[in-house]
Amino acid sequence: MKNILIALIFFAYCGSFSQETVVSELQITGLKRTKESFIRKLVKVKPGSTYDSLRVATDIERLKRLPGVANAEVVVKQNQDSGYQITYAIEENFTIIPGLSIATDNNGEFAYRVSLFEFNLFGRNQIFGGFYQRDVFDSYGGYWEAPYLFTNKFGIGINYKNLVSQEPIFLENNNTINYKFDTRAFELNFLYEFDFHNRAEVGVNISKEEYDFIEGNLPAEIPTRLSANKIAYRGEYEYNDIDIDYQYVSGFRSLLDFRFVTGGEGLLDDFFIGRNDFEYFRRIGKRGNWANRLRLAYASNDDTPFAPFAVDNQLNIRGAGNTIDRGTAAIVLNTEYRHTLYEKGWFVVQSNVFVDTGTWRNPGGELVELVDGSTLRFYPGAGIRLIHKRIFNAVFRLDYGYGIGNDATNGITFGIGQYF
């Protein structure tokens, strides 16, 4: 009898304990355009599941990474029946975003790119949109990406681009020739999220590339026209441990992108290309943010002058100019300190000081060029940001970079979104 009584007390205790840890209700508030069914599909906390504070915190960070979400908070209440009532309070972003970038093209004239994207299509945080670009020639492209189309882990992305531009090709003895570069490419990707921190993409890119000589002192061994029908098999792996609080970012992120390109020959022969971005962010006091990006890049087609990596204002070195050099391997470090000068309601004014520096392996060169200082570029500078906290990626930036060293330049870089 005594053993039976002890067992009953034990099971009663376990039952009361389990009731104390059960999520009795999950509420989601603040939604206007985003579908509640999408949010419930995405989050890991479910009614009837065991309460786990770490899982709740992970849900909040997951929601804050969505393009359609400006901020998310949680309220936890314990009911009289010892269950937990959880409320996810969401503040939505405005997500129909026009874009504009302005630069000087490789013909010394005015170049621009306009775009329009919806980052919360159908209320399910799908990305849909396109762009038009004038950079000596006309270009355009369109995108659709649905990361959670099939499940809360598995999605798809499709894009098409017709890019036409004047591309400088850098040869020995400071000889530069210009080609018209025309590529038409269709790409299909499958996206999979392993867990909160790890995700991957695999896909295929089918393209037709053409180079047509425009001007310059063309060596006899370089043809006036090149073309190739290429198929690239690509992969991407991301580790993301980033915490976002409006304009402030903290944590670490690593993004690896690699491609095996087939179908070419001669100067456009098959090759491997890989790039890894390591990003580290740290909050400094109440208003400061230290941001860093280390980019390592390598391509196996080291002998061709049609090198894949460019030194460019918009890509890696602010103030350097528009496609001023090319390389077949690169090490680039961007570091900057961002400081909030003014913040009221949805509006933020943020300043920054930065250093952009990098080295490249020249076409036909050796990997030692990455560390011997012969290709080093060093550009400190400063800038300003105007930020709307409730419009996705609404960061209007203006940076001025000043080069130090031989043949250094200086200039202004304008764009939308943080530089990295």
Side-chain angles (χ1 to χ4, degrees):
M1 185 67 181
K2 181 179 179 181
N3 291 336
I4 295 176
L5 182 60
I6 292 174
L8 290 173
I9 293 173
F10 174 77
F11 285 119
Y13 173 78
C14 289
S16 63
F17 181 79
S18 64
Q19 287 180 352
E20 291 178 355
T21 61
V22 167
V23 177
S24 60
E25 184 179 3
L26 174 63
Q27 296 183 350
I28 300 171
T29 64
L31 298 181
K32 297 178 181 178
R33 297 189 63 243
T34 305
K35 300 294 184 183
E36 183 172 332
S37 59
F38 168 76
I39 298 296
R40 290 188 178 275
K41 172 184 174 182
L42 187 64
V43 298
K44 303 304 181 183
V45 171
K46 310 291 183 184
S49 64
T50 301
Y51 174 75
D52 184 334
S53 60
L54 179 59
R55 185 177 294 176
V56 171
T58 300
D59 274 351
I60 292 299
E61 292 307 316
R62 186 187 305 274
L63 292 172
K64 288 161 67 175
R65 290 181 186 177
L66 295 175
V69 175
N71 195 35
E73 297 178 344
V74 61
V75 177
V76 180
K77 294 181 179 179
Q78 188 171 7
N79 297 328
Q80 293 181 352
D81 62 359
S82 299
Y84 284 91
Q85 177 184 305
I86 298 177
T87 301
Y88 289 162
I90 294 175
E91 182 181 356
E92 289 191 324
N93 271 325
F94 182 77
T95 55
I96 303 176
I97 310 300
L100 173 66
S101 62
I102 301 172
T104 302
D105 64 30
N106 288 323
N107 206 23
E109 299 179 355
F110 179 69
Y112 62 92
R113 176 179 174 130
V114 294
S115 62
L116 182 65
F117 280 84
E118 163 62 279
F119 290 89
N120 193 10
L121 184 67
F122 305 130
R124 300 184 180 278
N125 282 261
Q126 299 179 12
I127 303 171
F128 179 77
F131 71 90
Y132 168 78
Q133 176 177 295
R134 179 66 183 179
D135 186 357
V136 182
F137 305 100
D138 298 323
S139 302
Y140 60 89
Y143 301 79
W144 175 57
E145 184 176 289
Y148 307 104
L149 179 65
F150 304 118
T151 69
N152 63 354
K153 291 178 175 290
F154 185 39
I156 194 172
I158 297 173
N159 66 74
Y160 175 80
K161 300 177 187 177
N162 185 359
L163 299 178
V164 188
S165 59
Q166 179 173 306
E167 294 291 330
I169 304 301
F170 304 95
L171 306 175
E172 297 179 354
N173 302 320
N174 295 319
N175 182 21
T176 301
I177 57 178
N178 288 308
Y179 278 84
K180 176 185 178 183
F181 175 60
D182 187 339
T183 178
R184 295 177 292 280
F186 173 82
E187 186 170 284
L188 171 65
N189 296 301
F190 293 98
L191 295 63
Y192 187 78
E193 183 180 293
F194 296 99
D195 54 38
F196 177 62
H197 295 297
N198 299 275
R199 56 172 290 272
E201 296 182 17
V202 293
V204 60
N205 179 294
I206 302 171
S207 65
K208 180 177 179 59
E209 293 185 0
E210 295 178 347
Y211 285 88
D212 290 293
F213 174 71
I214 297 177
E215 60 183 1
N217 184 15
L218 187 68
E221 67 274 14
I222 304 295
T224 59
R225 178 177 173 82
L226 301 92
S227 65
N229 294 311
K230 293 187 174 183
I231 299 178
Y233 304 95
R234 67 172 299 269
E236 181 177 293
Y237 175 77
E238 179 186 32
Y239 174 80
N240 191 331
D241 190 16
I242 295 293
D243 181 28
I244 302 171
D245 184 15
Y246 293 110
Q247 73 268 28
Y248 300 110
V249 184
S250 59
F252 174 77
R253 176 176 179 258
S254 173
L255 182 61
L256 171 66
D257 186 287
F258 58 90
R259 297 180 181 230
F260 296 94
V261 183
T262 64
E265 60 182 1
L267 293 176
L268 301 182
D269 203 0
D270 300 348
F271 66 99
F272 165 82
I273 182 171
R275 188 185 74 188
N276 204 131
D277 287 352
F278 300 95
E279 298 176 350
Y280 175 72
F281 303 89
R282 183 175 179 179
R283 291 285 300 267
I284 306 294
K286 292 184 177 180
R287 292 177 172 265
N289 211 163
W290 183 34
N292 304 270
R293 180 180 68 180
L294 173 64
R295 172 170 290 178
L296 307 178
Y298 172 81
S300 63
N301 57 341
D302 55 304
D303 289 330
T304 176
F306 297 88
F309 305 122
V311 183
D312 189 280
N313 263 328
Q314 294 292 343
L315 299 176
N316 40 43
I317 304 291
R318 285 165 282 191
N322 187 33
T323 317
I324 65 165
D325 203 355
R326 291 187 178 277
T328 56
I331 301 175
V332 180
L333 176 64
N334 307 102
T335 183
E336 66 181 30
Y337 173 72
R338 306 166 184 171
H339 190 83
T340 298
L341 300 176
Y342 175 82
E343 180 173 4
K344 186 172 184 180
W346 55 264
F347 182 64
V348 175
V349 178
Q350 188 181 69
S351 66
N352 77 308
V353 290
F354 64 85
V355 173
D356 293 344
T357 184
T359 62
W360 277 260
R361 177 180 67 176
N362 291 313
E366 302 293 335
L367 285 174
V368 71
E369 294 175 353
L370 295 174
V371 295
D372 66 6
S374 61
T375 61
L376 177 67
R377 298 180 185 275
F378 187 81
Y379 279 72
I384 195 80
R385 276 96 175 99
L386 305 179
I387 303 172
H388 193 303
K389 293 167 60 175
R390 297 184 182 91
I391 299 179
F392 175 67
N393 205 36
V395 179
F396 298 88
R397 57 177 165 84
L398 187 67
D399 291 318
Y400 180 82
Y402 185 86
I404 297 176
N406 295 330
D407 301 321
T409 59
N410 56 79
I412 292 175
T413 302
F414 167 80
I416 296 177
Q418 293 285 9
Y419 196 65
F420 60 93

